[in-house]
């Protein structure tokens, strides 16, 4: 069974753009990779451009995106936008994701929708 997560970043209007990551979404893996290697808005935007992930790695070139490199991105693999933090948490809860990560105010925040 996989540990599913959603990775997002807050936009200037407080909306959240996010992508899904299928494998290893727990804080000791996805959380640490995000904190160590995706620590600027520019790097996060580059990560998001690729759409939904099978898994994340320290370098974009090593990340496995669910669409396997097709371009343009299939509609079901594109980043999505949530209206607010509450909407983000509600969606990860509804979709049974184990963790949600949001980059805002210059740092990563982790959410466990089951707590």
């Amino acid at each position: 069974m996989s540990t599913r997560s959603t990775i997002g970043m807050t936009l200037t209007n407080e909306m959240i753009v996010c992508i899904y990551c299928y494998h290893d979404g727990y804080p000791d893996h996805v959380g640490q990779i995000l904190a160590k290697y995706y620590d600027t808005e520019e790097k996060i935007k580059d990560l998001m451009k690729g759409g939904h992930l099978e898994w994340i790695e320290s370098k974009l070139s090593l990340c496995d995106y669910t669409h396997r490199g097709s371009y343009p991105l299939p509609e079901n693999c594109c980043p999505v936008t949530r209206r607010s933090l509450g909407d983000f948490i509600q969606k990860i809860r509804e979709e049974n994701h184990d963790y949600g990560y949001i980059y805002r105010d210059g740092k990563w925040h982790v959410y466990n929708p089951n707590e």
Side-chain angles (χ1 to χ4, degrees):
M1 192 163 128
S2 61
T3 304
R4 299 175 302 156
S5 62
T6 299
I7 301 167
M9 81 181 279
T10 303
L11 304 174
T12 55
N13 59 4
E14 294 303 309
M15 294 179 82
I16 298 168
V17 63
C18 52
I19 58 174
Y20 168 70
C21 185
Y22 184 66
H23 288 287
D24 302 326
Y26 46 90
D28 287 345
H29 185 75
V30 167
Q32 287 190 4
I33 289 173
L34 291 171
K36 188 170 182 178
Y37 299 104
Y38 298 92
D39 56 352
T40 67
E41 286 188 20
E42 183 177 324
K43 291 177 185 177
I44 299 162
K45 286 177 184 177
D46 287 342
L47 177 70
M48 298 280 181
K49 285 179 191 174
H52 300 318
L53 296 160
E54 285 288 322
W55 64 79
I56 190 172
E57 294 287 343
S58 59
K59 294 181 183 179
L60 279 177
S61 62
L62 300 175
C63 291
D64 186 3
Y65 288 93
T66 58
H67 52 82
R68 306 265 189 240
S70 58
Y71 189 83
L73 293 179
E75 188 174 311
N76 63 341
C77 293
C78 290
V80 293
T81 303
R82 302 292 176 218
R83 294 183 314 265
S84 64
L85 176 60
D87 183 40
F88 175 86
I89 293 171
Q90 178 181 343
K91 284 306 252 185
I92 61 175
R93 186 176 291 131
E94 287 173 2
E95 295 173 4
N96 294 315
H97 293 186
D98 300 289
Y99 295 96
Y101 300 91
I102 298 177
Y103 187 81
R104 73 168 194 259
D105 302 325
K107 61 183 176 181
W108 285 102
H109 301 266
V110 62
Y111 298 91
N112 181 338
N114 302 310
E115 290 183 345

